[in-house]
């Protein structure tokens, strides 16, 4: 969908009048477009060469798509009446509440139900092609985004995710540590394990401005390591967590103006832009990583 967006925007002269920070018109992935079906086939066809690769874990198909719980309202309020998204949403509401129903009649229950239908449309289209092209590897999802009124607090979305994903990928920001109750919800709603696929904090002793990106700032590299230790211990406590991926390996290069603005000037890496390691961070990472299995067994024994 992230790449299909570049084709879709051409219908609007190359610029959407109203677009989210992810670049989607009215915060709506275009899952109902017939052209998206064709694009999925085209985009996933090259993966056939990896289907017998014994070193490949699996695939992500997107990153941080906007799955807002008010997607039904957005489709009906903002899209033209001849657009595929409007037609699909109108048909769904007609079948659920009758043809006389209006946006004013939509309830929170309706919104959650439509968000599941909306998301499942994407899941069906993507996974049907992916499983046919490569039946041997895992589908790791589309990297959920921790933003307000989106999927991480929506049980309907996770129920659908559990039907199609082998492991649910989640980017985790704006909290010092993941909450056990919320992580349990993800596992119980979906019936599947999850993988934290983005998280980091930035050190104010790095010499970088640290003005961009979703991760918070801490005073030193050792503080980054303490953050890492605490965050990982919470993940190791949880039975649904199967791993994590720190974002990212290398610091941003402020001189590289070709990158996304959020990846331009921040201390995200475990090495700097010249590949020198941030040793205080790495020492604490090493301490946790070497004991990960021992810690998991310990936390399991305490239940």
């Amino acid at each position: 969908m992230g790449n299909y967006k570049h084709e879709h925007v051409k219908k609007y002269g190359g610029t959407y009048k109203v677009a989210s920070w992810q670049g989607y018109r009215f915060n709506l992935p275009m899952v109902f477009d017939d052209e998206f079906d064709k694009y999925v086939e085209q985009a996933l066809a090259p993966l056939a060469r990896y289907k017998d690769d014994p070193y490949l874990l699996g695939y992500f198909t997107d990153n941080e798509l906007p799955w807002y719980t008010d997607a039904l309202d957005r489709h009906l309020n903002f899209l033209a009446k001849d657009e595929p998204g409007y037609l699909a949403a109108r048909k769904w509401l007609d079948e659920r509440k009758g043809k006389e129903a209006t946006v004013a009649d939509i309830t929170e229950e309706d919104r959650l139900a439509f968000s599941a239908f909306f998301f499942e449309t994407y899941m069906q289209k993507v996974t049907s092609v992916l499983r046919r092209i490569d039946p041997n590897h895992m589908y790791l999802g589309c990297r959920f985004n921790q933003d307000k009124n989106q999927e991480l607090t929506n049980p309907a979305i996770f129920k659908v995710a559990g039907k199609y994903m082998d492991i649910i990928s989640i980017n985790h920001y704006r909290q010092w540590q993941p909450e056990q109750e919320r992580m349990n919800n993800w596992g119980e709603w979906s019936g599947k394990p999850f993988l934290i696929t983005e998280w980091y904090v930035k050190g104010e002793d790095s010499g970088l401005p640290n003005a961009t990106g979703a991760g918070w700032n801490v005073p030193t590299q050792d503080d980054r390591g303490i953050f890492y230790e605490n965050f990982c211990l919470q993940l190791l406590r949880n039975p649904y967590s199967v791993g994590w991926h720190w974002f990212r390996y290398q610091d941003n290069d402020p001189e590289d103006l070709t990158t996304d603005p959020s990846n331009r000037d921040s201390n995200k890496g475990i090495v700097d832009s010249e590949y020198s390691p941030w040793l205080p961070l790495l020492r604490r990472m090493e301490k946790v990583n070497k004991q990960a299995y021992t810690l998991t067994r310990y936390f399991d024994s305490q239940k």
Side-chain angles (χ1 to χ4, degrees), residues 210-231:
N210 290 330
T212 60
W216 287 338
N217 292 3
V218 294
T220 69
Q221 297 303 310
D222 194 54
D223 291 318
R224 294 178 80 203
I226 293 170
F227 171 81
Y228 182 91
E229 289 177 335
N230 180 63
F231 196 99

Side-chain angles (χ1 to χ4, degrees), residues 22-281:
Q22 295 117 315
Y24 291 92
R25 182 169 166 257
F26 304 119
N27 262 322
L28 296 173
M30 298 72 70
V31 303
F32 300 113
D33 287 13
D34 289 338
E35 291 88 349
F36 179 58
D37 300 35
K38 300 170 187 173
Y39 195 87
V40 171
E41 291 278 356
Q42 171 191 331
L44 298 185
L47 300 184
R49 63 181 149 172
Y50 302 118
K51 69 183 182 66
D52 296 317
D53 187 336
Y55 303 105
L56 178 65
L57 181 68
Y59 302 99
F60 305 116
T61 53
D62 267 296
N63 183 59
E64 297 188 349
L65 297 175
W67 302 114
Y68 283 96
T69 52
D70 65 348
L72 178 57
D73 309 64
R74 291 170 185 266
H75 278 90
L76 296 175
N77 281 329
F78 302 140
L79 301 188
K81 291 182 170 52
D82 61 350
E83 291 187 48
Y86 177 90
L87 295 171
R90 186 66 252 181
K91 182 175 183 290
W92 185 91
L93 187 62
D94 289 349
E95 291 174 354
R96 184 174 175 90
K97 307 199 84 161
K99 293 187 176 181
E100 302 304 315
T102 68
V103 174
D105 298 311
I106 296 172
T107 65
E108 279 303 302
E109 186 178 355
D110 298 329
R111 292 185 178 99
L112 291 177
F114 181 82
S115 70
F117 168 71
F118 181 39
F119 180 57
E120 187 156 18
T121 302
Y122 171 86
M123 285 283 101
Q124 287 174 332
K125 290 184 176 187
V126 167
T127 59
S128 63
V129 178
L130 181 60
R131 301 290 192 195
R132 169 165 42 84
I133 290 172
D134 182 351
N136 301 326
H137 294 98
M138 290 193 288
Y139 176 48
L140 306 175
C142 52
R143 297 164 63 94
F144 285 161
N145 170 41
Q146 191 169 19
D147 203 359
K148 294 181 290 186
N149 302 316
Q150 287 201 67
E151 58 271 20
L152 296 195
T153 55
N154 186 340
I157 290 282
F158 272 84
K159 185 175 180 180
V160 172
K163 291 171 60 177
Y164 296 91
M165 298 180 192
D166 297 299
I167 298 176
I168 297 171
S169 51
I170 298 170
N171 297 348
H172 193 294
Y173 295 111
R174 305 182 186 92
Q175 287 181 285
W176 289 117
Q177 63 186 30
E179 299 171 356
Q180 293 298 322
E181 182 179 0
R182 178 171 286 192
M183 291 189 288
N184 287 337
N185 284 341
W186 299 339
E188 290 164 8
W189 291 339
S190 67
K192 292 291 176 67
F194 68 85
L195 176 69
I196 297 298
T197 39
E198 277 191 33
W199 61 292
Y200 65 87
V201 287
K202 303 169 284 188
E204 294 176 343
D205 61 349
S206 64
L208 291 166
N210 290 330
T212 60
W216 287 338
N217 292 3
V218 294
T220 69
Q221 297 303 310
D222 194 54
D223 291 318
R224 294 178 80 203
I226 293 170
F227 171 81
Y228 182 91
E229 289 177 335
N230 180 63
F231 196 99
C232 291
L233 287 173
Q234 300 309 312
L235 292 177
L236 290 168
R237 288 176 188 272
N238 194 274
Y240 298 104
S241 168
V242 293
W244 57 83
H245 172 254
W246 178 270
F247 185 77
R248 38 182 287 194
Y249 170 66
Q250 186 180 30
D251 280 348
N252 298 157
D253 180 356
E255 296 182 7
D256 184 0
L257 302 184
T258 66
T259 61
D260 181 278
S262 69
N263 290 322
R264 199 162 286 173
D265 67 359
S266 291
N267 172 219
K268 300 177 182 179
I270 60 173
V271 300
D272 66 19
S273 58
E274 300 298 322
Y275 297 98
S276 297
W278 296 110
L279 290 177
L281 166 65

